[in-house]
Amino acid sequence: MKKTLKPLDSRRNFVKNSIKATALLPLTGIGLQGLAQELSNPKLSGNVKNPKPLKILILGGTSFIGPHQIAYALKRGHQITTFTRGKTKPTIFRKQFDQVEQLIGDRENNLKALEGRKWDVVIDNSGRQVRWTKATAELLKDTVGMYVYVSSVSVFYPYFKANLTEDMPLVLKVPENLDDDDEKYTYDYGVMKANSEIAARTIFGNNKTIVIRPTFMTGPGDRTNRFLYWPTQLPKGGSVVVPGKKKDPVQFIDVRDVAEWMIRLIETNTSGTFNAVGPATTMTIREFANEVSDVFGKKAKLVHIDDYKFLEENRLRYLMPWILDSKKYHGISRVSQVKSVKNGLTYRLLETTMKDTHTWWFSDAIDNERRTAFQNDPKELHNRQKNLLKKWKTYNSQ
């Protein structure tokens, strides 16, 4: 007799087979199932079926968010120019870059390639210094219609409060006499982003400026390793550490959801400041881990470590998207997304993000050197968790 699969079983088998089928595929073109998704609801704010073609300048464009912006914008009929130093080569959507005008310069001291040119909008992906933002905004204010600055929720550090909305006070200076280098770096970054936002608005004006504040972005093309634990370890099975208390919230967002939404905001000339955070509904670290585990067929045995003292002592204060709750980090996973959703931000399924990230990681977009370095790094949790689990077992038996 033929066995009838239950809906959940069918989905698990589909996910399992899809992952096997897509591993090691080339990602030089558009091949990810979640790429450049079209909105299913044509009435949703920010959705333009046939947008007016725009000339878009992207400062940066070859790193994490840029290739996704470019692929989506080209699909929607826009013309793209990038301005980079010419050093970072895109690892995904390489063919799409054949359709891109690529200007070479340096935001530190050489903006000559931007002089005397006109665009409808500029997207500032590479604003890592306030003076860079000021210089490009001043140069382009009379020849570009809108300035889009990619900021960060780091402008709210320290995150004392929950439900951080766009109009909350920003961190504008670094406190004196900080002894912790990590905290000084965190302050520096938040201060830089906050003051860069202000510079863009001051020069272009509120009605011609869009500020996007992403939380932790994940997905194909990520140049950090901070989310890789989940899509690389859960498919292997065995015991997998899940840190955090039962109700610890997590926030994260697929980079493509941010990239595509930004293009739609531009198309509708929607100015303003927006927190780019997800997921669509409140999620705890346990719900996150369980859902990701389900994506990969529940091969792994999830071991929840919920003792903050133990986690602190064993140097596990964060495992993105989870961050250990503390006074200064209480609000980092409690940022408001209400305004953004009202203005057209939509979300892929976590299943899509994890499957596509897994596919990307085992594709030719990643060279063996990076893959091997991650796998062998003694600081990464997958190389620490065996010992950590032994300690946890002993700790619980005391």
Side-chain angles (χ1 to χ4, degrees):
M1 179 180 294
K2 185 177 180 180
K3 181 180 178 182
T4 301
L5 294 178
K6 297 179 181 179
L8 183 57
D9 292 332
S10 298
R11 188 169 76 89
R12 287 175 179 170
N13 286 340
F14 171 77
V15 170
K16 179 179 179 181
N17 293 333
S18 296
I19 291 170
K20 287 181 178 179
T22 54
L24 299 175
L25 290 177
L27 290 184
T28 54
I30 298 177
L32 301 174
Q33 78 163 28
L35 174 75
Q37 66 174 7
E38 295 296 339
L39 300 179
S40 59
N41 183 358
K43 296 182 180 180
L44 193 62
S45 173
N47 181 31
V48 179
K49 278 192 172 182
N50 299 299
K52 174 186 174 183
L54 300 172
K55 295 177 66 176
I56 302 173
L57 168 65
I58 300 180
L59 305 177
T62 55
S63 191
F64 185 21
I65 193 172
H68 296 292
Q69 292 167 334
I70 289 168
Y72 188 69
L74 289 173
K75 182 176 180 180
R76 293 174 72 81
H78 304 305
Q79 298 177 41
I80 304 296
T81 300
T82 60
F83 177 78
T84 70
R85 294 179 300 168
K87 295 183 178 181
T88 301
K89 302 299 182 183
T91 59
I92 57 177
F93 307 123
R94 296 167 192 153
K95 292 181 180 179
Q96 277 66 26
F97 278 81
D98 292 340
Q99 305 173 50
V100 174
E101 179 189 23
Q102 301 177 49
L103 303 180
I104 303 299
D106 195 322
R107 298 191 68 179
E108 179 66 27
N109 53 24
N110 181 13
L111 301 178
K112 190 172 182 60
L114 302 179
E115 295 176 359
R117 297 289 303 272
K118 292 184 178 181
W119 290 275
D120 295 300
V121 61
V122 55
I123 300 176
D124 188 347
N125 286 341
S126 61
R128 294 191 294 275
Q129 294 189 36
V130 178
R131 59 188 176 87
W132 288 7
T133 305
K134 288 181 177 178
T136 52
E138 286 287 359
L139 176 63
L140 299 170
K141 66 180 179 180
D142 296 324
T143 58
V144 174
M146 177 171 281
Y147 200 100
V148 183
Y149 183 74
V150 180
S151 185
S152 167
V153 295
S154 294
V155 297
F156 296 124
Y157 183 81
Y159 313 93
F160 291 132
K161 298 181 180 180
N163 193 35
L164 293 166
T165 57
E166 285 81 356
D167 57 356
M168 298 290 284
L170 308 182
V171 57
L172 298 177
K173 63 179 181 179
V174 179
E176 297 180 0
N177 303 320
L178 283 178
D179 296 327
D180 189 324
D181 288 340
D182 288 338
E183 185 172 32
K184 185 177 185 302
Y185 171 82
T186 303
Y187 264 112
D188 281 339
Y189 186 73
V191 168
M192 179 273 292
K193 286 296 186 183
N195 283 289
S196 293
E197 289 183 11
I198 293 171
R201 291 192 205 96
T202 300
I203 296 167
F204 263 72
N206 290 334
N207 293 333
K208 295 173 62 179
T209 305
I210 299 174
V211 172
I212 303 297
R213 296 171 178 162
T215 185
F216 302 112
M217 291 190 291
T218 184
D222 193 350
R223 292 182 180 270
T224 74
N225 295 335
R226 58 190 180 186
F227 272 93
L228 286 177
Y229 177 76
W230 308 103
T232 61
Q233 300 309 306
L234 268 67
K236 294 180 180 180
S239 296
V240 172
V241 169
V242 180
K245 295 183 179 179
K246 183 177 181 180
K247 294 185 179 180
D248 283 354
V250 293
Q251 286 188 318
F252 58 93
I253 193 164
D254 191 303
V255 63
R256 296 164 294 181
D257 293 333
V258 181
E260 295 166 15
W261 175 52
M262 288 174 66
I263 301 301
R264 298 195 299 271
L265 287 174
I266 291 167
E267 291 170 352
T268 55
N269 198 34
T270 304
S271 60
T273 299
F274 304 96
N275 297 331
V277 301
T281 58
T282 301
M283 179 179 287
T284 67
I285 182 58
R286 293 197 177 198
E287 291 168 339
F288 172 87
N290 289 337
E291 191 166 330
V292 176
S293 178
D294 187 52
V295 168
F296 296 110
K298 286 195 176 297
K299 296 178 181 178
K301 176 186 177 183
L302 303 182
V303 180
H304 297 278
I305 299 179
D306 58 3
D307 189 293
Y308 282 176
K309 180 181 178 182
F310 178 86
L311 293 168
E312 285 267 19
E313 290 174 349
N314 288 277
R315 297 174 291 109
L316 189 52
R317 299 180 182 90
Y318 57 87
L319 182 63
M320 302 305 179
W322 173 84
I323 292 184
L324 191 148
D325 196 1
S326 64
K327 183 178 180 181
K328 289 186 176 181
Y329 281 92
H330 178 70
I332 195 170
S333 297
R334 297 172 172 88
V335 179
S336 173
Q337 69 209 94
V338 173
K339 181 181 177 182
S340 298
V341 172
K342 286 182 178 178
N343 283 274
L345 177 59
T346 58
Y347 304 94
R348 284 167 171 76
L349 296 175
L350 177 56
E351 175 181 331
T352 300
T353 299
M354 286 296 113
K355 286 170 59 179
D356 285 353
T357 302
H358 181 280
T359 298
W360 160 74
W361 181 252
F362 290 103
S363 74
D364 66 355
I366 302 296
D367 59 45
N368 287 329
E369 183 179 356
R370 180 183 172 187
R371 206 178 284 120
T372 301
F374 169 73
Q375 190 61 37
N376 295 336
D377 188 344
K379 295 180 181 179
E380 294 291 346
L381 180 57
H382 60 264
N383 289 319
R384 297 174 50 212
Q385 70 177 359
K386 184 176 181 180
N387 185 49
L388 190 66
L389 289 168
K390 287 182 178 179
K391 288 184 177 180
W392 177 239
K393 185 176 181 180
T394 301
Y395 186 85
N396 274 334
S397 64
Q398 292 175 348

